[in-house]
Amino acid sequence: MISKLMTEKNSLWTKLRGGDRPVVIYGMGDGAAKIMSVLNARGIKVSGIFASDDFVRGQEFMSFRVERLDEVEQRLGDFTVLLGFATHLEEVIRHIECIAQRHELYVPDVNAAGDYGEVFDEAYLAENEDRLDRALSLFADDKSRRFFVEMCDFKLSGKREYLSELDRLSFKGKIDRAVECYCDLGAYCGDTLTAAVSQYPELRRAIAFEPENSSYSKLVKTADAFVKSGRLDCFCAVHAAAAERDGASDFACGEGRGSALTAGGNVRGMTGQKITHTTLRSLDSVVRDSGFLPQLIKYDVEGSESRALDGSAETIRTLRPALVVSAYHKTSDLFVLPEKIKSLLPDARLYLRRTRPCFPAWEVEIVAL
């Protein structure tokens, strides 16, 4: 049982509920709002919000006046800090570590996409232990299995020390097969397409999905430049969100990679989001229309990975491509996505890796070969 392999036994939320230090959130935005919602639901009082000095400027957030760290220190003395935003910037991570030298600091694990209600605590671990055990057994190497257990330890405890352990397990190598056709679900502005073109010299065709208007325009410009330069022979741009079937849905447009399909219009916890309507396409439908035959498919669709895999089932079972699937947007991704990938590719070898260091434990991928 995975609980016997884990070091941590008690959740961050249990610790905070029984603690005697004030609880303060560092940061504003979607992550901070979700953390505050979890705290409120568990009767844990929030004593303040602080931000980096450049971001304070008299702002209010969730009915709190946003303070500087030194102001909170003068008011409260000692307190527990909960990190309320994500970052991969080295200078920001160093600053967070400096704060952690002065105050107890945790990195709560809340869903990166969608609802905040799914929280990895003692009850969640007990309820889903059988599925976590099965998922753990699906991975092909000790490194992946160790990573999986450490991810569970981090999710339960919020201890940032586990993040440095996870960073040691980065997956840097390319897929060990020829990739003439690449499919990018959640292509953003074309950065991952650019990386694929650089990584796979034999790449000649690509399919890319991007629903957000501004990012789609940038993606098309990036792809057109590759075609004009002769680096790609042809390119299929899909101005739609990847889903299990063709159709339409509400869509929450955020900045950068923060855009996501909504679940019945439910975007609780999302701040600064504009709701619009977007086209849905299944990859199976696009492959049939385009005639492209991908050898590698990447999924990074802000919490809709399971739906996108369902919409790729025919392509995956017929062509047996390599898959790279983001597995950090939802708490349940740890067991739902390995199960789904194995159902589509029973003979595939699965690996769990992290692409780059960041707070919290984002940029986690399942690689299926």
Side-chain angles (χ1 to χ4, degrees):
M1 297 177 68
I2 194 164
S3 59
K4 293 189 173 166
L5 299 175
M6 292 170 58
T7 301
E8 304 297 331
K9 305 305 176 187
N10 298 315
S11 73
L12 169 62
W13 315 104
T14 297
K15 175 181 174 58
L16 294 175
R17 193 164 52 240
D20 55 4
R21 289 179 177 145
V23 175
V24 176
I25 297 176
Y26 173 25
M28 303 174 285
D30 187 36
K34 289 179 180 179
I35 291 167
M36 188 173 291
S37 296
V38 175
L39 294 171
N40 289 340
R42 291 161 188 260
I44 303 169
K45 179 183 176 183
V46 178
S47 296
I49 301 279
F50 75 92
S52 300
D53 293 355
D54 292 343
F55 292 94
V56 176
R57 296 191 298 274
Q59 293 195 61
E60 287 193 0
F61 181 76
M62 304 289 287
S63 301
F64 283 86
R65 183 178 72 85
V66 180
E67 301 174 88
R68 299 189 311 271
L69 175 59
D70 64 322
E71 290 179 306
V72 181
E73 289 173 332
Q74 290 172 17
R75 181 167 62 85
L76 297 176
D78 193 17
F79 47 87
T80 296
V81 178
L82 303 183
L83 185 67
F85 62 92
T87 184
H88 61 83
L89 300 175
E90 291 183 8
E91 64 271 23
V92 177
I93 290 175
R94 285 196 298 269
H95 180 62
I96 292 167
E97 292 293 351
C98 287
I99 295 174
Q101 299 306 310
R102 296 156 60 181
H103 302 281
E104 185 178 55
L105 186 147
Y106 294 93
V107 186
D109 181 76
V110 293
N111 278 350
D115 199 352
Y116 56 72
E118 187 182 49
V119 177
F120 198 111
D121 58 10
E122 296 91 341
Y124 189 89
L125 175 59
E127 180 182 352
N128 295 287
E129 187 152 20
D130 287 346
R131 293 188 73 181
L132 286 163
D133 288 341
R134 286 197 299 273
L136 177 64
S137 72
L138 296 178
F139 289 99
D141 64 340
D142 289 339
K143 182 182 286 190
S144 297
R145 290 186 287 271
R146 184 170 73 252
F147 188 156
F148 190 98
V149 174
E150 289 176 345
M151 280 282 290
C152 290
D153 273 322
F154 167 73
K155 285 177 173 292
L156 186 66
S157 71
K159 292 181 179 178
R160 74 187 192 289
E161 293 84 354
Y162 286 106
L163 296 177
S164 61
E165 293 298 309
L166 298 177
D167 291 341
R168 291 191 290 100
L169 302 172
S170 296
F171 181 69
K172 303 289 187 185
K174 72 173 185 176
I175 305 301
D176 187 21
R177 65 176 67 180
V179 178
E180 186 273 337
C181 181
Y182 166 66
C183 186
D184 193 337
L185 277 63
Y188 188 41
C189 62
D191 55 345
T192 46
L193 173 65
T194 299
V197 168
S198 173
Q199 206 165 21
Y200 302 105
E202 67 278 12
L203 182 60
R204 307 307 305 168
R205 295 183 170 197
I207 299 171
F209 284 62
E210 177 53 49
E212 199 275 321
N213 292 335
S214 176
S215 297
Y216 177 78
S217 296
K218 294 174 184 175
L219 167 67
V220 171
K221 288 180 182 178
T222 299
D224 284 346
F226 284 129
V227 173
K228 288 175 183 175
S229 70
R231 184 58 189 82
L232 288 177
D233 292 340
C234 47
F235 177 77
C236 177
V238 184
H239 193 187
E244 67 274 33
R245 63 181 64 87
D246 292 357
S249 174
D250 288 338
F251 185 70
C253 295
E255 294 185 3
R257 296 184 183 274
S259 301
L261 292 176
T262 70
N266 182 1
V267 288
R268 287 190 302 168
M270 289 179 158
T271 58
Q273 298 278 13
K274 176 183 176 182
I275 307 302
T276 184
H277 212 55
T278 193
T279 301
L280 303 180
R281 293 293 307 271
S282 74
L283 177 60
D284 288 341
S285 171
V286 172
V287 166
R288 285 193 296 268
D289 290 348
S290 68
F292 288 16
L293 304 176
Q295 287 94 29
L296 170 62
I297 308 172
K298 183 223 90 180
Y299 299 80
D300 188 357
V301 287
E302 303 301 323
S304 294
E305 283 78 12
S306 182
R307 295 174 63 181
L309 283 163
D310 285 338
S312 311
E314 179 184 329
T315 299
I316 292 171
R317 288 179 174 137
T318 302
L319 301 179
R320 303 187 58 77
L323 307 178
V324 177
V325 184
S326 290
Y328 63 90
H329 295 109
K330 295 180 177 178
T331 301
S332 58
D333 284 348
L334 264 185
F335 52 86
V336 168
L337 295 179
E339 288 176 343
K340 182 149 290 185
I341 293 167
K342 265 295 190 178
S343 73
L344 297 171
L345 285 173
D347 298 328
R349 291 168 289 123
L350 302 191
Y351 302 91
L352 191 67
R353 296 294 189 266
R354 198 169 186 218
T355 57
R356 62 178 174 178
C358 63
F359 282 174
W362 290 9
E363 309 299 341
V364 174
E365 295 177 341
I366 299 170
V367 180
L369 302 175

